Amino acid sequence: MGISAATLLSADNKLLDTLQTELGKRPASLRSATFTPGTPDTDGDEIDRLLSLVDARPSAGTFIAYNVLPERIWASSYTTQTYDGTSDDLLTAGLGKTGLGSATAPTYASAAAPTASELRRNAIYNNYRALVDANKAAGGYGTLYGPNIDISGNDTLGEGKIAGTEAIAYSSDASGKRKITLMVQVPNSFDKTKPCIVTATSSGSRGVYGAIGTAGEWGLKHGCAVAYSDKGSGNGMHDLAADTVNLIDGTVATASAAGTTAHFAADISKSELDAFNLTFPNRIAYKHAHSRQNPEKDWGKYTLDAVGFAFYVLNEKYGTADASGKKPRIIRPGNTLVIASSASNGAGAALIAAEQDKLGLIDGVAVSEPQIQPKDMSGVSIKQGTGTVATLGKPLLDYFTYANLYQPCAALASDATGSPGAAFIAGYATNRCTALKAKGLLNGTTTQAQADEALQKLHTYGWTSASDVFHASHHALATPSIVVTYLNTYGRFSVTDNVCGFSFATTVGTAGATLGNVTATSPLVQAGIFASGNGVPPTGGINLVYNDASGGAKRDVLAVSPSTGLADGALDGALCARSLVTGSDPVTGSKLTGTLLAQSERVQKGIAEVQVKGALDGKPAIIVSGRSDTLIPVNHASRAYYGASQKADDSKSRLRYYEVTNAQHFDSFIDNAALPGYDTRLVPLHVYFNQAMDLMYAHLKNGAALPASQVVRTTPRSGTAGAASAISASNVPAIASTPANGDAITYSSGTVSVPD
């Protein structure tokens, strides 16, 4: 017997009613929709995502939306743990405010075989301190922010431990090669009648706890579930010589024993591994660099997956099974406030997720210092004061490979006098100037003239003068390794490719003839890397190695370039990296050919895959960034994205941009004993991350207006380098509800105007 059109229409409407209750908006009819379903190895489209998040089943003449484990979650990896908030907790792993503020990391009963709980504790300790200045109370920890500071900014929470439940699982394709760690923390203060979720996608290449001190802390304190993701790039290490890897809880196994349960293992055969180990012994593969997945292209999806996982975890915890034995969903996008958040790479992931969010899972965005790459800057310009920015909106690997050439020399410029960390590059900075001059990339006839010229090149290429004194520390601690990591990830290269002659390995650290040579990695490093690692070198004694150095493989900062005969910090490798981005030799200008051309095409394809439109479609969003950001310059990221988004959304735009003077990317460098001078020059951007979250929360919950885009003018602490006076609220004034005329950031006729 046929089914009448009226019956079909009635059933369709009842299904749409259920989905409207679920989402808070009515989707188009699924009867006429054309959608792409997922397979074990490929993702479907947004309709497929909806159908995989909600198990809508007919019941008593209508439909009920039941809870269902999201697709790609490996049920075998799913675990939950409850923390009492005393002996252990969600935010501090039982360490409390005092333990997180200690300069001494927690110890292991056996460093050779830490337990999973010990690794978790140390991962929380290290990741919290990596993003927040917890070095000294004088810097704001424990007074302006920290576990003890309540949501009103007062010191009332004691040690700040937070009881609750933590759920963790892998999300992966069938092969296990594209693997993401997802985690949800649910504080006991979560109110199922007023549900909220905050995303905390990891920053940098960090593991799943990588945003614990930023979005994690804010969300937990506000009684929200926190949805974490390592975004497929998080802190996975494969010691190729020992053939050991880490599991989801950080414990160690051989790659063969771990199989597909390994957090990361290099995708090479046994014969390839043996051959590589013979020619390049004691090398390390890292997940972000060597997974061959270019995970950045899916960072938004992985953030949305974390939100979907959070809804599952919440409904499992608070739902009640009906007669069918299944749990109807009571916490769903339609009744839950969701803020996409995080810092740095995690902030970029939040913005990308908001752009891709067609189901309406995300209500608003609040992020700091996003690593975000606009696709189209045509018709957009940036002015600071009366000056027009010459270079803007370049892809990350473009401006990083440029910085990698000139930063060491620029650190010797007159305007960079007194740079924190200058001693770290003293061994190769002058030689870098000399080598750049010899290759015709600088014209100055003295080291000083060359250095001043190099700094001016960086200004012309998008760095503000506020970054001048920070180039030395950034090249010493970040720039070269990020270049090599992103060359590999964008080109989807194998660890065996040794792109531009670079690899990762432990190097000899003691003075003598073997200083900087490759050596075996201690098993203790693998045992603790889940907790101590950041996903890129330098970490745990593992450094960037230039295989092609004169005399043999050497740590890059000690390497002699074959073409110059100088210990110039592996300039030859830096020039190769630059060529793969531009497609031409940076010295001769000639187009690449052969292997280099093929590698360049792969890199450029990967770069194109991660660039975004800036189309938030009117979703409310806040970006805060520091004007002194030397790692992710505002002219290439925050300012550029703000302009691209204004262009894309036009009158629909509800994006706000707050630029903070005397603030930059690495709050953890402030009050760091190895970098005196950060403390007297900079204030913590984290203060403004918290304000941005507060503003977005009030906007979404109560309809409070978002302040207009503006420059926030701060006052650095006084005192001597390394001993700055204590920070106070007067150093970090609040984002103004109405900015003064001289502080307003505006967009008009394609121009982003930022006051000096």
Side-chain angles (χ1 to χ4, degrees), residues 207-289:
V208 75
Y209 291 98
I212 189 78
T214 53
E217 180 172 288
W218 190 96
L220 293 173
K221 285 181 179 178
H222 284 75
C224 299
V226 183
Y228 298 83
S229 170
D230 75 353
K231 65 190 187 306
S233 55
N235 192 29
M237 171 184 151
H238 184 177
D239 184 333
L240 300 175
D243 202 18
T244 52
V245 297
N246 296 98
L247 305 179
I248 193 170
D249 62 2
T251 55
V252 178
T254 63
S256 58
T260 58
T261 67
H263 177 63
F264 164 71
D267 183 19
I268 53 178
S269 67
K270 181 65 166 60
S271 61
E272 288 174 319
L273 176 63
D274 290 343
F276 185 71
N277 280 336
L278 185 64
T279 309
F280 297 96
N282 299 316
R283 295 317 200 264
I284 298 296
Y286 268 121
K287 184 177 184 179
H288 193 172

Side-chain angles (χ1 to χ4, degrees), residues 108 110-114 119 237 252 521-530 532 540:
Y108 298 117
S110 171
L119 288 165
M237 171 184 151
V252 178
T521 298
S522 167
L524 298 182
V525 172
Q526 182 87 66
I529 200 71
F530 174 85
S532 63

Side-chain angles (χ1 to χ4, degrees), residues 479-723:
T479 303
S481 293
I482 289 176
V483 165
V484 174
T485 293
Y486 281 84
L487 273 182
N488 278 276
T489 190
Y490 289 154
R492 303 192 192 202
F493 293 114
S494 167
V495 66
T496 63
D497 288 323
N498 287 330
V499 178
C500 286
F502 287 107
S503 62
F504 300 150
T506 294
T507 59
V508 175
T510 55
T514 61
L515 178 66
N517 287 0
V518 173
T519 189
T521 298
S522 167
L524 298 182
V525 172
Q526 182 87 66
I529 200 71
F530 174 85
S532 63
N534 58 14
V536 293
T539 185
I542 298 167
N543 294 304
L544 184 60
V545 171
Y546 188 46
N547 301 330
D548 297 341
S550 294
K554 190 74 103 176
R555 184 177 178 185
D556 66 321
V557 296
L558 301 170
V560 174
S561 292
S563 76
T564 67
L566 296 172
D568 53 17
L571 175 60
D572 284 357
L575 290 167
C576 171
R578 180 66 179 160
S579 75
L580 296 191
V581 173
T582 64
S584 60
D585 187 305
V587 176
T588 67
S590 59
K591 298 295 183 181
L592 300 183
T593 60
T595 299
L596 286 178
L597 174 60
Q599 290 180 331
S600 176
E601 290 172 343
R602 289 173 64 173
V603 169
Q604 291 175 358
K605 178 181 178 183
I607 290 172
E609 288 177 334
V610 304
Q611 292 178 291
V612 297
K613 295 180 180 179
L616 294 169
D617 198 29
K619 198 180 295 288
I622 296 173
I623 293 173
V624 293
S625 283
R627 179 170 289 183
S628 300
D629 198 325
T630 310
L631 190 81
I632 309 295
V634 289
N635 286 321
H636 293 305
S638 294
R639 289 177 178 178
Y641 185 83
Y642 177 71
S645 186
Q646 295 293 320
K647 172 188 170 185
D649 281 356
D650 198 22
S651 60
K652 290 190 300 183
S653 178
R654 288 195 284 166
L655 172 61
R656 303 292 190 268
Y657 172 47
Y658 308 134
E659 184 169 296
V660 183
T661 64
N662 308 304
Q664 50 84 55
H665 207 84
F666 293 117
D667 275 9
S668 60
F669 285 2
I670 306 172
D671 293 307
N672 187 309
L675 296 168
Y678 267 80
D679 57 343
T680 52
R681 292 180 169 95
L682 299 167
V683 300
L685 187 63
H686 183 61
V687 170
Y688 294 98
F689 167 82
N690 284 334
Q691 286 188 34
M693 291 292 289
D694 291 344
L695 289 168
M696 183 53 65
Y697 187 67
H699 175 68
L700 295 174
K701 199 170 183 67
N702 305 316
L706 293 176
S709 299
Q710 61 188 270
V711 173
V712 182
R713 303 191 185 280
T714 66
T715 303
R717 294 146 63 190
S718 58
T720 58

